[in-house]
Amino acid sequence: MLNRRHLRIKVMQSVYALLQSNSDDLVKERKFLTYSINKIYDLYVLQLNLLAEVRNLAEKHQEIAKKKYLATSEDKNPSRKFIDHPFLLGLKNNLALQEYIKTQKLKNWKEDSEYVRLIWDAIRESDIYADFINNTETTSPKEDLNFISELYKNVIAPNDKLFDYYESQLITWVDDIPFVNTWILKNLKKINPNTRFDKSLLFKDKEDEEFGLDLFKKTVLHHHEFMDDIDAKTPNWDSDRIAEVDFILMKMAMVELIYFPSIPTRVTINEYIEISKDYSTNKSSFFINGVLDKILKEYTTEDKIKKIGRGLL
């Protein structure tokens, strides 16, 4: 499921897009934010279904090889160890997965089947696959799952061509794919033929579902009023020298400090410092930390921060 850091990143991107376009169409951008968040689940499903389609392609190749005029003994009696892998069979036989793909019209691996072949070729050429196929000893469920995990981490997740393909499908997937890959690896033990696939599973609870949209709305609405507070804390800085992303991250943090009473102040500041390390300049994290620390002290003195619960300040 989505964590709040990734939701913050999604909000940051939407606020940035809105400001760069000089648009005041809050409703339109809010709808795109919702769309972008929901599409993360589609990406999650596509990555899992890719494994199922690779398994199906492997089986198809074996059936074709058996019918060759000069079929070898290996062609006639191929190893079914990969094709009959419990995890892959679980995906193949998961009706909820197939229903989700049908309902959401995720036709990617039918229309762009060359990527299924590309991944299958990469798997067959890997040492991980060779070791698995050549191992004649009985493997435990844990070892079977470890094979899928190693295959995913070392062959599928880092594949540049697959990454480029997803980028061409939806630009926001560029930032989503690392998160989705981590999510899948964490969920491997939980996925079986009876696993549910539903967008509602994207969020831990209703509060998290509303968090991103609420943060986006409040950041945009209070965008200008926070500018004076930032200017007051950066007297020796020309605003043109401050990265636009830094401004957005600081304003989002200020919104959380004031308008999200259940989030501890230190959690808020730490989250935006960490996001800045990935999305802004090398010095941004130190700059943002310094400014937010001053603002936190001022807001606390002025009693602007009202947190609910013990230890939230």
Side-chain angles (χ1 to χ4, degrees), residues 45 94-105 197:
V45 168
N94 189 299
L95 297 179
L97 177 63
Q98 300 312 315
E99 181 62 26
Y100 184 92
I101 291 167
K102 180 181 178 181
T103 302
Q104 299 300 318
K105 300 179 180 179
F197 287 90

Side-chain angles (χ1 to χ4, degrees), residues 63-79:
E63 293 304 316
I64 292 173
K66 288 179 182 179
K67 299 175 183 178
K68 289 195 302 186
Y69 180 69
L70 297 176
T72 65
S73 58
E74 186 178 351
D75 290 333
K76 293 178 181 178
N77 298 288
S79 169

Side-chain angles (χ1 to χ4, degrees), residues 13-32 216-217 219-221 223-224 244 248:
Q13 293 168 337
S14 290
V15 173
Y16 182 85
L18 186 71
L19 297 179
Q20 288 295 305
S21 65
N22 294 315
S23 171
D24 58 357
D25 194 340
L26 183 62
V27 174
K28 179 181 178 181
E29 195 59 42
R30 198 167 183 263
K31 285 181 179 178
F32 181 77
F216 171 75
K217 179 181 177 181
T219 300
V220 173
L221 292 178
H223 167 67
H224 294 292
E244 184 66 29
I248 292 171

Side-chain angles (χ1 to χ4, degrees), residues 2-13:
L2 274 178
N3 57 48
R4 288 201 172 186
R5 177 172 298 177
H6 203 69
L7 285 170
R8 289 179 174 101
I9 291 169
K10 284 290 184 187
V11 172
M12 174 198 71
Q13 293 168 337

Side-chain angles (χ1 to χ4, degrees), residues 110-157:
K110 300 298 181 186
E111 297 178 351
D112 299 309
S113 59
E114 66 268 26
Y115 289 94
V116 179
R117 184 180 299 276
L118 182 151
I119 295 300
W120 170 227
D121 289 342
I123 287 174
R124 283 190 301 174
E125 293 168 5
S126 70
D127 291 338
I128 298 169
Y129 177 79
D131 291 343
F132 177 75
I133 292 296
N134 294 328
N135 182 7
T136 57
E137 297 180 5
T138 302
T139 54
S140 66
K142 183 178 180 180
E143 289 172 324
D144 285 341
L145 201 58
N146 186 60
F147 164 68
I148 296 295
S149 177
E150 290 302 307
L151 206 61
Y152 194 89
K153 282 191 293 187
N154 295 286
V155 179
I156 299 173

Side-chain angles (χ1 to χ4, degrees), residues 38-294:
N38 285 333
K39 290 298 286 184
I40 297 174
Y41 199 78
D42 286 356
L43 180 59
Y44 172 76
V45 168
L46 279 173
Q47 282 288 76
L48 286 173
N49 190 48
L50 177 59
L51 283 168
E53 291 297 334
V54 166
R55 180 248 167 236
N56 294 342
L57 181 62
E59 185 174 41
K60 182 179 179 181
H61 280 189
Q62 285 193 359
E63 293 304 316
I64 292 173
K66 288 179 182 179
K67 299 175 183 178
K68 289 195 302 186
Y69 180 69
L70 297 176
T72 65
S73 58
E74 186 178 351
D75 290 333
K76 293 178 181 178
N77 298 288
S79 169
R80 290 186 59 88
K81 195 173 181 181
F82 180 77
I83 293 170
D84 291 338
H85 191 287
F87 182 84
L88 299 178
L89 281 177
L91 288 177
K92 176 182 181 294
N93 296 324
N94 189 299
L95 297 179
L97 177 63
Q98 300 312 315
E99 181 62 26
Y100 184 92
I101 291 167
K102 180 181 178 181
T103 302
Q104 299 300 318
K105 300 179 180 179
L106 301 179
K107 303 176 182 178
N108 300 65
W109 309 137
K110 300 298 181 186
E111 297 178 351
D112 299 309
S113 59
E114 66 268 26
Y115 289 94
V116 179
R117 184 180 299 276
L118 182 151
I119 295 300
W120 170 227
D121 289 342
I123 287 174
R124 283 190 301 174
E125 293 168 5
S126 70
D127 291 338
I128 298 169
Y129 177 79
D131 291 343
F132 177 75
I133 292 296
N134 294 328
N135 182 7
T136 57
E137 297 180 5
T138 302
T139 54
S140 66
K142 183 178 180 180
E143 289 172 324
D144 285 341
L145 201 58
N146 186 60
F147 164 68
I148 296 295
S149 177
E150 290 302 307
L151 206 61
Y152 194 89
K153 282 191 293 187
N154 295 286
V155 179
I156 299 173
N159 191 283
D160 289 336
K161 290 183 179 178
L162 185 61
F163 182 89
D164 291 342
Y165 170 74
Y166 282 132
E167 182 179 15
S168 71
Q169 295 299 297
L170 186 66
I171 189 62
T172 57
W173 277 351
V174 172
D175 293 298
D176 297 334
I177 190 65
F179 170 80
V180 166
N181 286 336
T182 301
W183 189 14
I184 287 175
L185 288 169
K186 287 182 178 179
N187 274 2
L188 285 180
K189 292 181 180 179
K190 303 175 184 177
I191 298 172
N192 58 61
N194 298 315
T195 299
R196 284 180 56 217
F197 287 90
D198 191 298
K199 275 191 172 71
S200 64
L201 302 174
L202 193 57
F203 303 98
K204 182 180 69 176
D205 50 36
K206 190 67 176 177
E207 186 178 352
D208 268 14
E209 184 176 358
E210 295 173 351
F211 171 74
L213 297 177
D214 199 22
L215 179 60
F216 171 75
K217 179 181 177 181
K218 285 181 168 61
T219 300
V220 173
L221 292 178
H222 297 282
H223 167 67
H224 294 292
E225 73 180 67
F226 287 134
M227 198 67 227
D228 290 340
D229 290 341
I230 294 174
D231 285 342
K233 302 298 177 293
T234 55
N236 299 320
W237 285 79
D238 185 331
S239 61
D240 291 337
R241 292 174 55 208
I242 302 176
E244 184 66 29
V245 170
D246 291 357
F247 274 126
I248 292 171
L249 292 176
M250 287 187 287
K251 289 171 184 176
M252 287 172 64
M254 293 158 77
V255 166
E256 282 193 30
L257 291 175
I258 295 177
Y259 297 104
F260 288 79
S262 65
I263 302 177
T265 57
R266 186 43 54 187
V267 168
T268 289
I269 293 176
N270 287 342
E271 283 291 287
Y272 289 103
I273 289 171
E274 290 304 311
I275 292 172
S276 72
K277 292 177 182 178
D278 290 329
Y279 290 90
S280 199
T281 68
N282 292 334
K283 297 181 179 180
S284 289
S285 60
F286 301 102
F287 175 72
I288 289 174
N289 185 34
V291 174
L292 290 180
D293 189 55
K294 293 177 183 177

